[in-house]
Amino acid sequence: MTVVALASVKHAPGVTTAAVALAAAWHRDTVVVEADSSGGDIAARVRLPLDPGLLTLAAVGRRPGARLELSPHARALPAGGSAVVAPVGPDLTANAVAAVASRLPAALEGRHGLIDCGRLSSGSPCLPAVRGADVLIVLAEPTVTAVEHLRSRLDFLCAATPRLAVVLVGDRPYGPTEVSEALGVPVVGAVAVDPRGVAALYAGQRAHRSLLVRSVRSVLDHVENVIDERQGVA
């Protein structure tokens, strides 16, 4: 089983949607944890209640000696997998993430887990979860500006975890090989820019046939290789 943290360093290239698409493509027991301190998106998009969710998980997690059990706080997603959803408000979400982040990777042991960290910075309460994940996938658009922003943050990202890979959102004007050569880190694929696929994903309507979900399947084929190659790097 594998725990993947997903993040970006600037703008909003679609980290949450990528996590939900990966859950749909990966395994029926996959769980997405919204740990983006700026607030969650899934509940609003899928029309899920916030209770249970990240706030109820954090309430349990604040009890001394409490062990995190994700299942009671997760809700099924339309296209497959489940999610521990966060509120839209950043203050509530940031406090909840801070309460549980260091224990999220252990709570996901024995299942496939995706931790949506949103935009990652040195002050992010999600950093302890990144450090405990099997791999950190950073999403970025394949443009000169986005690649340069990512390059400027590589030292910070590599200090957070040596198990780092990049996924592009779209493949124009530059593809994975060109971006990987520019950055010097693995680029494990590209997620398709597919508005219809996004709509189908959140509605659960033939999402598995969409270009979006098919593209993340190809990404999954490479994620395990990155973990295997870097599992001995401390």
Side-chain angles (χ1 to χ4, degrees):
M1 302 301 179
T2 304
V3 178
V4 176
L6 296 99
S8 67
V9 296
K10 191 172 175 65
H11 305 304
V15 175
T16 300
T17 294
V20 174
L22 285 164
W26 204 350
H27 192 275
R28 65 181 181 180
D29 293 329
T30 300
V31 59
V32 178
V33 180
E34 277 195 296
D36 181 352
S37 60
S38 67
D41 296 325
I42 294 175
R45 287 193 171 193
V46 185
R47 298 183 181 179
L48 290 175
L50 295 176
D51 186 354
L54 184 68
L55 294 183
T56 58
L57 178 67
V60 172
R62 289 188 177 98
R63 299 171 189 167
R67 184 175 182 274
L68 293 186
E69 295 283 352
L70 296 184
S71 295
H73 308 279
R75 303 296 293 265
L77 291 169
S82 61
V84 178
V85 298
V88 173
D91 294 336
L92 284 174
T93 302
N95 289 334
V97 172
V100 299
S102 64
R103 288 173 286 167
L104 283 178
L108 287 162
E109 285 182 0
R111 64 200 307 175
H112 292 307
L114 298 157
I115 304 174
D116 171 10
C117 299
R119 191 181 304 173
L120 204 60
S121 67
S122 58
S124 173
C126 198
L127 276 175
V130 170
R131 296 186 182 105
D134 294 304
V135 65
L136 168 63
I137 290 180
V138 179
L139 276 84
E141 296 174 342
T143 64
V144 171
T145 302
V147 170
E148 287 304 315
H149 278 297
L150 180 51
R151 191 205 305 273
S152 73
R153 303 295 286 158
L154 280 180
D155 288 346
F156 157 68
L157 294 169
C158 291
T161 175
R163 300 171 298 278
L164 173 68
V166 174
V167 169
L168 304 180
V169 180
D171 56 4
R172 296 179 182 178
Y174 302 105
T177 300
E178 294 165 294
V179 175
S180 181
E181 290 174 352
L183 293 173
V185 298
V187 177
V188 296
V191 174
V193 177
D194 179 18
R196 290 185 179 179
V198 172
L201 180 70
Y202 288 109
Q205 299 172 345
R206 299 183 178 180
H208 290 265
R209 300 182 183 181
S210 70
L211 181 59
L212 171 63
V213 173
R214 284 186 280 130
S215 69
V216 300
R217 287 196 188 108
S218 68
V219 170
L220 286 173
D221 291 340
H222 300 286
V223 168
E224 293 289 350
N225 291 336
V226 173
I227 295 170
D228 291 342
E229 290 171 1
R230 301 197 169 207
Q231 64 182 353
V233 180

